[in-house]
Amino acid sequence: SCLHHTDAYNIKNLVVRRGQAFQLQVSFNRAPRTTDKLSVRFGFGEKPMKVRGTLMSLNPKWEQDPNEWRISIIRSSGKECLLSITSSPKALVGKYTLNVKAGTSIYEPENSAIYLLFNPWCRDDVVFLADEAQRKEYVLNDTGYIYVGSAYNIYGRPWNFGQFEDFILDACMYLLDKSKLKLSYRRDPVLVSRAMSALVNANDDSGVLLGNWSGNYSHGTSPMDWIGSVSILQDYYRTKKPVCYGQCWVFSGVLTTVMRCLGIPSRCVSNFNSAHDTEENLRVDVYLNELGEKLENKSFDSVWNFHVWNDVWMKRPDLPVGFDGWQAIDSTPQEKSQGIFQCGPCPLKAIREGDVYLPFDSKFVFAEVNADKVYWVVRKVNGKEKYTKMGTETQCIGLNISTKAVGQNTREDITAQYKFPEGSKEERQAMQRATSFIQPSGMTPRARFGSPMRMANSTDSRPEVLQEAVSKTGIQLEIIHIEALYPGNPLELAVTMKTSTPGSWTINLTSSCQLQSYTGKVQAKLGHIKETIKLEGKSEMQVPLKIMADAYMKTLASVEDEALIHVTAIAEVQGTDDKLTKETTMSFEYPPITVQMPETAKLNKEFTCAFIFKNELNIALDNCKLLVEGLGLFKMATFDEGDVKPGRIIKSQIICTPTRLGEKKIVAKLTSTQIKGISTERAITITE
């Protein structure tokens, strides 16, 4: 199992990869004779049959199985016989039953189930990945990070994939059976990964996880409280019922576990400012009121601060040549594809080059990383709503696409694998290619209500929209925070305005601050400013926007999601058509958790690990829970810490007994009523 890179699976049965030899020792009650009719048989599914290719019957003497399985005798002495068996690199992936047929009798060993997996180490397997460091990361690494936050404030959330833990392999086999994929399709990673993208969400098929973005998770586990996939998949396998609840990073983490467990190279991918373009017209409309506050009821489209999906590595023999390699799949239930909530696999090359006619779901993924954002201000004029277009941002969607780097605990930016550099010739060509397959609607506001009004200056073809009117004043807006954003402190924000053209300008500035979830859903309005500002020539001015703690603390404690600070600013220059809108999302900052433990430990010898947290905030943290997990060290544990007053230090410890060699990680997370997202990790090396 070491040669097959399957020795880590925590299971008594034989686990091997396809297209690679494994050995089988057979003992007889007497020495076999040349006249004995012997065959070793591998059956797949409920009724294995040779004609269906679900029964491989291998005879060491004469026949090679028509399905390209091979058998040979390594050594035969007396009653003992050592056989070498190589399955086909195109073999069905899943659970086989092994038996030996001698004459008319059939012998089935104990633990007769054999698990056969995809093989990224085998040149002839369609999931072959040439680089050993990448195989270690994308197939064998059972820990990692999922990148969250906002485009300019990205942080890694530690995640335990745990594909080798108890019952995870069995849970994946159960999902394969539940997928209703024809047995003959189970050799194809394209169809297997598509089926798993559907089964990791519970929407159509009572799959693994039920999504919930409501902010109320009292009937299950809050999505913020998971630190890995293990307890989710174990729960699901035990109860066969969907586990509550997931949001995008949880769906992605679980899908990575399932893919790596089955042997398909996989990585979690985070897209910042991710467009959810329901109309497939490459445009997301954002509606603001006169204060610059977002009007959510106007638009079906949305921009998520981040969205996490997966890439899987495979050849695409089903497509024209050139689309092998990374493919995007997504198990977060957003849009139906062929009638159910599934997404992908879609080649990254097709997204980059604008070939959005290729399967699967390339239009949807292309829009997530390439849509334009159009701002509208809605004002009441004589009792009627009037829409004013405040500008189009062509470069704010699909930023800093991130995954964990190979072999290092750092972030790798893979934006260039999804898109050409903004403004480059190739990017414009890809955009034109994509728009030839996507019908863009003209530049009219598409509010949910009322018929779209044609605008006098509306243009129908998208490339025109890219040339925004050049500003006369060269006005620029920047939104910053002056002090660290600690919960319980005032939020000291500011809008900086710059002009780069000589002249005297009067500017109407409106700016508002809202608390929102990562999907852009507004949780509370915190405050706004409306000012008229005079700027002379090339100059700059900072306008403060201060939010007192009382304005947001109640909301922070009442929503069960991690809240982000969202600021929008609108500037209109009097006497010109110059208008500008800018928005920024910022995350709160938290005190850290410290982990105390040795750097190395011995196999099966216990050691102590301590977790220390000091509440350095000005507010009490209520109902604190510390969640800890160490794969190969200890099972997940939860400590109830109660209410932690300002300045108080809490310390919890756990006794660990390492069961596996190599580098192992401990992940810890602290959640409370006020704060959801403090996490940390520490590595330890286990030696003999």
Side-chain angles (χ1 to χ4, degrees):
S1 72
C2 189
L3 291 171
H4 282 251
H5 306 94
T6 54
D7 42 334
Y9 286 96
N10 214 349
I11 196 165
K12 288 195 172 66
N13 304 58
L14 180 63
V15 182
V16 286
R17 296 188 188 275
R18 64 185 188 177
Q20 191 175 334
F22 62 93
Q23 295 182 358
L24 213 57
Q25 171 94 23
V26 185
S27 310
F28 301 100
N29 59 351
R30 61 169 169 78
R33 302 184 192 116
T34 44
T35 50
D36 289 330
K37 280 189 174 167
L38 280 180
S39 60
V40 178
R41 297 157 21 120
F42 294 88
F44 192 88
E46 306 232 317
K47 294 185 188 142
M49 286 158 86
K50 281 187 192 174
V51 289
R52 287 207 182 134
T54 53
L55 178 63
M56 318 311 144
S57 184
L58 309 176
N59 181 315
K61 282 210 264 331
W62 45 273
E63 65 174 315
Q64 285 306 332
D65 175 78
N67 295 302
E68 295 179 61
W69 287 53
R70 297 194 304 279
I71 185 167
S72 60
I73 298 175
I74 297 177
R75 183 199 43 261
S76 180
S77 61
K79 301 177 183 179
E80 304 290 314
C81 184
L82 185 63
L83 302 171
S84 169
I85 290 158
T86 307
S87 62
S88 156
K90 299 184 183 67
L92 306 176
V93 164
K95 209 167 167 179
Y96 288 77
T97 348
L98 162 72
N99 60 47
V100 177
K101 192 174 180 188
T104 52
S105 320
I106 293 177
Y107 300 94
E108 194 167 296
E110 251 188 297
N111 284 344
S112 65
I114 289 182
Y115 296 78
L116 190 66
L117 308 179
F118 289 102
N119 193 352
W121 284 263
C122 168
R123 231 159 243 294
D124 299 322
D125 195 318
V126 281
V127 300
F128 173 66
L129 184 56
D131 184 292
E132 174 61 16
Q134 290 189 349
R135 293 190 295 240
K136 272 198 172 123
E137 184 66 58
Y138 297 136
V139 186
L140 300 179
N141 196 350
D142 57 359
T143 65
Y145 302 94
I146 299 177
Y147 290 92
V148 297
S150 54
Y152 300 108
N153 186 9
I154 298 173
Y155 62 96
R157 198 172 265 167
W159 192 265
N160 284 335
F161 299 113
Q163 63 269 35
F164 305 117
E165 301 303 303
D166 294 347
F167 305 116
I168 302 299
L169 184 57
D170 281 320
C172 293
M173 294 298 141
Y174 173 73
L175 287 172
L176 273 178
D177 285 341
K178 199 169 161 49
S179 73
K180 308 272 197 310
L181 270 180
K182 274 191 191 154
L183 293 185
S184 60
Y185 289 170
R186 297 197 195 178
R187 61 169 54 94
D188 182 354
V190 173
L191 299 172
V192 167
S193 63
R194 183 162 175 77
M196 293 301 119
S197 84
L199 272 163
V200 165
N201 67 65
N203 288 50
D204 312 283
D205 38 35
S206 40
V208 179
L209 261 173
L210 192 59
N212 181 346
W213 285 264
S214 70
N216 176 5
Y217 310 113
S218 50
H219 298 294
T221 300
S222 158
M224 285 298 299
D225 286 5
W226 302 112
I227 49 181
S229 314
V230 179
S231 48
I232 296 170
L233 282 162
Q234 286 175 343
D235 256 16
Y236 179 70
Y237 183 61
R238 196 182 67 244
T239 64
K240 311 288 190 282
K241 288 192 177 72
V243 175
C244 300
Y245 294 103
Q247 287 175 8
C248 72
W249 69 91
V250 191
F251 288 109
S252 172
V254 171
L255 189 53
T256 296
T257 302
V258 171
M259 291 291 98
R260 288 184 185 178
C261 185
L262 293 173
I264 299 175
S266 176
R267 62 189 186 187
C268 292
V269 173
S270 301
N271 177 38
F272 290 89
N273 292 355
S274 189
H276 183 144
D277 169 27
T278 51
E279 315 240 344
E280 283 198 348
N281 63 355
L282 293 187
R283 232 183 72 207
V284 172
D285 291 298
V286 179
Y287 297 95
L288 306 170
N289 66 13
E290 292 164 65
L291 301 175
E293 294 169 339
K294 203 157 49 171
L295 300 167
E296 289 186 296
N297 58 353
K298 293 269 180 225
S299 178
F300 283 120
D301 293 349
S302 56
V303 177
W304 292 19
N305 286 317
F306 63 87
H307 178 43
V308 191
W309 59 75
N310 295 68
D311 285 344
V312 281
W313 179 272
M314 62 190 65
K315 291 196 174 69
R316 287 299 295 267
D318 56 321
L319 297 184
V321 79
F323 291 98
D324 297 345
W326 288 116
Q327 318 282 323
I329 59 174
D330 191 344
S331 55
T332 299
Q334 296 188 90
E335 293 288 307
K336 288 193 170 184
S337 170
Q338 295 177 330
I340 62 175
F341 283 102
Q342 58 186 352
C343 180
C346 162
L348 265 55
K349 184 180 179 325
I351 300 164
R352 193 169 71 239
E353 297 184 357
D355 291 313
V356 295
Y357 57 91
L358 288 171
F360 292 89
D361 309 303
S362 50
K363 282 182 186 167
F364 184 74
V365 183
F366 185 87
E368 288 185 300
V369 298
N370 283 304
D372 283 353
K373 197 156 148 191
V374 182
Y375 291 104
W376 304 89
V377 168
V378 185
R379 295 186 171 96
K380 278 266 180 9
V381 180
N382 304 330
K384 285 208 176 101
E385 289 189 336
K386 179 178 172 241
Y387 293 83
T388 312
K389 185 179 152 206
M390 298 303 290
T392 303
E393 281 196 36
T394 59
Q395 300 189 357
C396 67
I397 299 288
L399 300 179
N400 305 337
I401 302 173
S402 304
T403 191
K404 179 189 173 299
V406 172
Q408 295 174 333
N409 294 332
T410 53
R411 182 180 78 87
E412 182 188 354
D413 191 298
I414 55 170
T415 312
Q417 297 179 33
Y418 273 87
K419 51 210 274 197
F420 290 110
E422 292 283 2
S424 65
K425 190 172 105 231
E426 296 89 344
E427 187 241 1
R428 285 196 294 278
Q429 284 168 344
M431 211 57 180
Q432 277 159 352
R433 195 165 166 68
T435 41
S436 66
F437 302 108
I438 296 176
Q439 285 310 303
S441 67
M443 287 308 303
T444 57
R446 290 179 297 108
R448 277 188 191 183
F449 317 107
S451 59
M453 300 283 297
R454 296 299 290 177
M455 307 298 254
N457 65 350
S458 84
T459 53
D460 266 340
S461 69
R462 187 157 186 287
E464 295 297 306
V465 177
L466 297 175
Q467 288 132 28
E468 280 295 306
V470 177
S471 147
K472 287 194 190 73
T473 53
I475 184 172
Q476 288 175 301
L477 287 177
E478 202 187 345
I479 299 164
I480 56 167
H481 58 92
I482 300 160
E483 295 290 331
L485 301 170
Y486 289 121
N489 288 10
L491 308 179
E492 305 269 3
L493 309 166
V495 181
T496 306
M497 268 189 306
K498 286 180 193 165
T499 48
S500 56
T501 315
S504 174
W505 311 108
T506 306
I507 300 158
N508 297 340
L509 175 73
T510 310
S511 179
S512 73
C513 181
Q514 295 171 303
L515 222 46
Q516 68 173 34
S517 69
Y518 87 97
T519 60
K521 190 172 105 184
V522 176
Q523 294 167 332
K525 298 175 180 184
L526 302 185
H528 65 269
I529 47 172
K530 258 188 120 138
E531 298 199 13
T532 304
I533 283 137
K534 288 192 167 49
L535 284 179
E536 295 292 331
K538 292 188 177 183
S539 58
E540 129 172 14
M541 186 170 190
Q542 200 177 76
V543 183
L545 169 59
K546 186 172 181 172
I547 309 289
M548 299 312 286
D550 295 354
Y552 68 84
M553 277 315 300
K554 216 185 225 116
T555 307
L556 213 53
S558 66
V559 292
E560 294 185 38
D561 292 308
E562 186 166 32
L564 297 151
I565 301 153
H566 184 78
V567 185
T568 311
I570 303 172
E572 294 176 277
V573 184
Q574 292 182 10
T576 72
D577 289 338
D578 268 13
K579 302 183 187 69
L580 189 64
T581 308
K582 177 94 185 179
E583 51 179 351
T584 303
T585 307
M586 306 173 189
S587 307
F588 283 102
E589 295 173 50
Y590 310 126
I593 303 169
T594 323
V595 183
Q596 287 181 347
M597 65 177 188
E599 283 180 11
T600 60
K602 294 259 187 277
L603 193 66
N604 300 319
K605 292 270 193 315
E606 48 183 58
F607 68 91
T608 305
C609 174
F611 305 92
I612 297 158
F613 173 77
K614 179 179 182 186
N615 180 6
E616 289 162 7
L617 303 173
N618 294 325
I619 49 161
L621 298 177
D622 304 329
N623 306 314
C624 287
K625 273 203 317 247
L626 180 71
L627 313 159
V628 293
E629 183 177 44
L631 302 182
L633 299 168
F634 59 88
K635 296 257 186 290
M636 181 156 161
T638 306
F639 296 96
D640 281 318
E641 306 283 3
D643 301 347
V644 180
K645 299 269 180 291
R648 190 180 143 209
I649 297 173
I650 52 175
K651 182 175 178 178
S652 300
Q653 51 186 40
I654 198 155
I655 299 203
C656 316
T657 309
T659 54
R660 273 186 241 148
L661 293 169
E663 189 184 85
K664 297 291 155 220
K665 273 190 189 160
I666 288 179
V667 174
K669 179 170 217 168
L670 185 81
T671 68
S672 68
T673 306
Q674 288 79 5
I675 290 178
K676 314 298 180 288
I678 306 180
S679 55
T680 191
E681 51 152 28
R682 266 289 296 278
I684 183 167
T685 306
I686 309 302
T687 56
E688 297 265 17

